[in-house]
Amino acid sequence: MTLSRSALRLIAAVVVFLVAAVAVTLLVLPGGGNGEDRAPSEPGAAPSEPPRRPVVVVKVDNVEQARPQAGLSAADKVYVEPVEGGLTRLAAVYASRLPEAVGPVRSARETDIALVRQFGRPVLAYSGGAPEIEPLLKRAPITLVTDKTRPGAYFRGGDRPIPHNLYVRPQQLPGQQREREPTPVTRPGAAPEGGTPVEARAVNFRDARYRFTWSAADDRWRISFNGSPLTTREAGRVTAGTVVVQRVAVREGRQVRDSGGQLSPVAGTVGRGEATILRDGTAFDGTWSRPSPEDPTTYRTRGGQRVPVAEGPVWVLLTPR
């Protein structure tokens, strides 16, 4: 039987309609289409990862008028930075838990720009900076928060004179909703073989003296500063699970001077150098390495074995070579 041209056209139209209908059905059924903007179809499929809280870094005063500080006991890491006149200032890093208040809060330094880049896009809470470094801070991938830009997150204490009485409430900083997961900044692990048992280690800057004494009862290093126990208002004696003496190159900053005319030093935290890692009552002499500002710092023995940190807070002292 020979079909007429009109019959052939009708059959072709029906075939095209059926093919189109099948395609539409595949797109709307579970598993159809390209998978974009579609919930997982298989039972038990993992949902997308919840948003994480950005890491918070707070610049903390460390002169005599500022002690005892608030909030140091809750920090995951504390960096000790050299500043003008041979003094030191602290950069307290918060990720796993947020204390009610941290301070006294002081100004940022050029050292902080590269130092905090290893934490993604962190929130840097500080009380301002020298005009020479403010443009550098603003160009960096850092969320900058001062008492001028977010006054509701800060308050003044009534027991100390300005500038040693400014505190910040970390929970009120950007992105710190409690339902968000924390961003880990330390990865504890077992110590390698070897090392040298030590009971105490002193680390001296030109006008700041630290001492770390191993306490088997606490399973921590007890910290002293300028001959006295370092304490916090909320938790008493400050301790650390790991102490890193990280020897770094220090250069003069961009003509930033203190009130006495002394230049502000800049500690280099990208590159490599020598380090001593104290953990578990043992000292490991070795090296530190950080290839780029986005990379974390890794520590190894002289034989090349990685030295992970112990459980508990980590204190890193950026000491001049």
Side-chain angles (χ1 to χ4, degrees):
M1 181 177 65
T2 303
L3 299 176
S4 64
R5 289 184 177 180
S6 59
L8 289 172
R9 285 197 294 270
L10 177 60
I11 292 171
V14 170
V15 171
V16 170
F17 173 81
L18 291 174
V19 170
V22 170
V24 170
T25 301
L26 288 174
L27 285 171
V28 299
L29 285 174
N34 60 10
E36 295 179 357
D37 302 321
R38 190 180 72 247
S41 59
E42 302 205 349
S48 59
E49 185 176 340
R52 291 187 176 273
R53 295 198 308 260
V55 173
V56 170
V57 182
V58 183
K59 289 309 300 292
V60 179
D61 201 354
N62 198 34
V63 297
E64 183 179 355
Q65 302 93 317
R67 300 191 300 271
Q69 295 100 332
L72 286 182
S73 62
D76 295 83
K77 302 184 80 170
V78 176
Y79 288 90
V80 179
E81 304 176 6
V83 293
E84 305 82 15
L87 299 172
T88 58
R89 187 160 292 175
L90 308 179
V93 182
Y94 299 89
S96 59
R97 58 193 179 113
L98 300 174
E100 291 296 321
V102 180
V105 180
R106 290 303 302 273
S107 57
R109 290 294 186 271
E110 192 174 341
T111 296
D112 302 316
I113 297 170
L115 176 65
V116 305
R117 288 278 303 279
Q118 62 188 299
F119 304 122
R121 190 182 180 95
V123 175
L124 178 61
Y126 65 111
S127 63
E132 295 87 349
I133 69 166
E134 280 291 344
L136 302 178
L137 286 165
K138 291 178 180 177
R139 287 199 297 268
I142 304 168
T143 301
L144 305 174
V145 185
T146 70
D147 54 321
K148 302 295 189 298
T149 62
R150 203 178 182 98
Y154 289 81
F155 67 94
R156 291 275 181 191
D159 59 337
R160 296 173 180 173
I162 295 174
H164 309 292
N165 63 352
L166 182 66
Y167 298 85
V168 66
R169 299 181 180 93
Q171 301 92 333
Q172 297 186 20
L173 294 173
Q176 299 305 306
Q177 294 88 341
R178 292 185 180 276
E179 64 272 15
R180 289 190 171 195
E181 292 292 324
T183 301
V185 297
T186 62
R187 298 185 182 279
E193 297 290 331
T196 304
V198 294
E199 295 182 357
R201 178 64 59 92
V203 182
N204 296 329
F205 294 79
R206 184 151 54 92
D207 200 18
R209 295 175 292 111
Y210 293 82
R211 185 174 179 83
F212 302 89
T213 304
W214 176 248
S215 169
D218 299 331
D219 203 26
R220 298 281 177 90
W221 298 91
R222 294 181 174 179
I223 304 175
S224 297
F225 180 71
N226 285 348
S228 299
L230 186 65
T231 62
T232 62
R233 291 186 168 187
E234 74 282 356
R237 187 77 181 259
V238 180
T239 61
T242 305
V243 177
V244 179
V245 185
Q246 184 172 327
R247 300 170 185 88
V248 300
V250 177
R251 62 176 175 83
E252 292 183 347
R254 296 172 175 251
Q255 301 302 307
V256 178
R257 297 178 184 269
D258 65 4
S259 58
Q262 301 181 88
L263 284 168
S264 177
V266 180
T269 58
V270 178
R272 60 185 294 111
E274 295 185 344
T276 299
I277 304 93
L278 307 176
R279 55 164 296 173
D280 309 321
T282 303
F284 296 89
D285 290 321
T287 61
W288 66 269
S289 175
R290 187 179 171 209
S292 76
E294 293 76 24
D295 292 316
T297 307
T298 57
Y299 303 100
R300 296 184 182 277
T301 65
R302 297 200 185 282
Q305 289 181 288
R306 183 172 171 270
V307 185
V309 299
E311 293 286 347
V314 178
W315 276 61
V316 181
L317 296 94
L318 304 176
T319 61
R321 289 174 179 167

